[in-house]
Amino acid sequence: MSMVQVDNRISTGNILVAGGMIVSIAVAWGNLSGRADNINERVVHNAASIAAAEARVRALETNNARQDERMILILDSLRKIEARIESE
């Protein structure tokens, strides 16, 4: 049986492989950081959009409530007119 021997010396190929791995890790880290920044920007933008939508919904609800009150006042006035016509 032959024994496997490992060469413990650092070669140019080892340096190139290690350097390539370091560069790959740095590039991947930069990509992840960029993606995190984009996601944070989207979250901030979505939060602002949600706040604006909530404000519009509140304004529409207030407007609808006012229109409902006006309709009730109109119907009350019509009932009073009908009651006067019927009593005459």
Side-chain angles (χ1 to χ4, degrees):
M1 285 188 160
S2 65
M3 306 248 345
V4 176
Q5 292 183 348
V6 177
D7 187 9
N8 291 334
R9 292 179 291 169
I10 297 175
S11 68
T12 306
N14 291 342
I15 293 172
L16 290 175
V17 168
M21 288 172 44
I22 291 171
V23 168
S24 297
I25 291 170
V27 168
W29 186 266
N31 287 338
L32 290 176
S33 296
R35 286 182 185 174
D37 291 341
N38 288 340
I39 290 171
N40 287 336
E41 289 175 11
R42 288 181 191 171
V43 167
V44 169
H45 181 269
N46 288 342
S49 295
I50 289 169
E54 287 177 355
R56 285 192 296 269
V57 167
R58 282 192 209 109
L60 289 171
E61 288 173 345
T62 302
N63 191 26
N64 285 340
R66 288 179 184 157
Q67 288 178 354
D68 289 346
E69 289 296 321
R70 288 180 192 137
M71 183 60 79
I72 290 170
L73 291 174
I74 291 169
L75 290 174
D76 285 343
S77 298
L78 287 174
R79 286 188 194 112
K80 288 177 185 177
I81 293 170
E82 284 179 344
R84 285 186 185 173
I85 290 174
E86 288 177 0
S87 66
E88 290 181 359

